[in-house]
Amino acid sequence: MIAQRLLGILEDVGGVLGSFVVAPEGALLARAMPAEYDAAKLELTASRVARILQCSAVNGVQPQDGVFDFGEGKLWIREFLRGYLCVLCNASVDMRSLRLTARLVARSLPAEL
Amino acid sequence: MKPSAKSAGHLRAVPRQADAPARASESPSEEPRTSVVRKVDPRHAAPSQRPSVAPSTRGWRCLDSAQPAARSASERDPSISIAQVSTNGERVRHSGPDAWLPDAAEFVHRVALLVAHDLGFERCLSVCLRGPTSVLSVSDAGPTTIMSVAGPVAQLSNVLRKRGIK
């Protein structure tokens, strides 16, 4: 419940479409995404995101922040205690506001989700 | 007296607009018909000259250039690795200390494309990841080419700024 409420804060940033939380091993821990992204599909996405982050980590770049640029949208990633906070947003999002809010939310996410 | 091409050796002045229709038939080994040019052979260049000689297409260098051509990031800083791979995993170019970069770039690009499709997008233009001390960036450089860069955070701050991480 706390996690859901915290993820909801991110939607106050203009351009944010939704967010989800991924464990380092790829499990989907929490989500606040639009209805068109069903849970099964999002679990697969979460595992793929985790694989990319693992690939980076084993080669010496332990990701703390990351951006996937899709042209019309972005997936912003922030590391936290239990995994990674992933924020889906459109291309016009204010990255500075997103960075600040996402860091605050990531820091506040509880250790147990 | 008519100056002969032979007397000029490797240094020739060529009219800028001359021979325009003939360019299409130029072979890659022929000199570019643009300006005063010199054939550059790095094996025979003086050691003091080598760093300032920017490699250009076909091995020719323009002598009119007011300033030397910018060197690549890997030439500036040996801690930066750059890899260019094709989408089917072939290594096109690689420089720098990180031998893992071409394989990692191909993997990251392939999985990032799947993530893009999962989330309703057609393609993934770039992935940029920042660690405490180092950065990995993988981006599309054409329909079949992937460019990737890895190196220390301080040296790649421009990449982080461009991607909106910094």
Side-chain angles (χ1 to χ4, degrees), chain A residues 90-103:
Chain A
N90 61 36
S92 62
V93 71
D94 178 357
M95 288 300 282
R96 186 177 155 78
S97 300
L98 176 61
R99 270 200 316 263
L100 293 170
T101 313
R103 279 175 192 171

Side-chain angles (χ1 to χ4, degrees), chain B residues 24-140:
Chain B
S25 60
E26 268 182 13
S27 73
S29 60
E30 282 185 297
E31 66 194 82
R33 304 289 173 86
T34 52
S35 187
V36 179
V37 292
R38 184 195 294 274
K39 178 80 172 168
V40 176
D41 186 347
R43 288 169 305 179
H44 300 119
S48 59
Q49 264 190 321
R50 275 180 206 151
S52 66
V53 176
S56 63
T57 55
R58 304 182 205 167
W60 290 88
R61 185 173 71 114
C62 180
L63 299 180
D64 282 355
S65 176
Q67 53 191 13
R71 286 177 292 165
S72 73
S74 62
E75 282 175 312
R76 281 196 296 268
D77 192 328
S79 63
I80 295 173
S81 296
I82 298 176
Q84 191 179 350
V85 291
S86 68
T87 45
N88 54 15
E90 286 167 24
R91 292 179 188 208
V92 179
R93 192 163 64 97
H94 177 229
S95 63
D98 299 313
W100 51 268
L101 189 58
D103 291 338
E106 195 270 330
F107 175 81
V108 168
H109 183 267
R110 189 159 37 83
V111 182
L113 186 61
L114 296 174
V115 171
H117 292 166
D118 289 348
L119 295 171
F121 299 97
E122 275 182 29
R123 57 198 180 140
C124 184
L125 299 178
S126 68
V127 177
C128 185
L129 303 171
R130 176 177 69 173
T133 56
S134 47
V135 174
L136 168 64
S137 176
V138 178
S139 53
D140 260 356

Side-chain angles (χ1 to χ4, degrees), chain A residues 14-35:
Chain A
V16 169
L17 304 170
S19 56
F20 54 96
V21 178
V22 185
E25 67 276 11
L28 181 64
L29 299 176
R31 68 193 187 102
M33 290 287 282

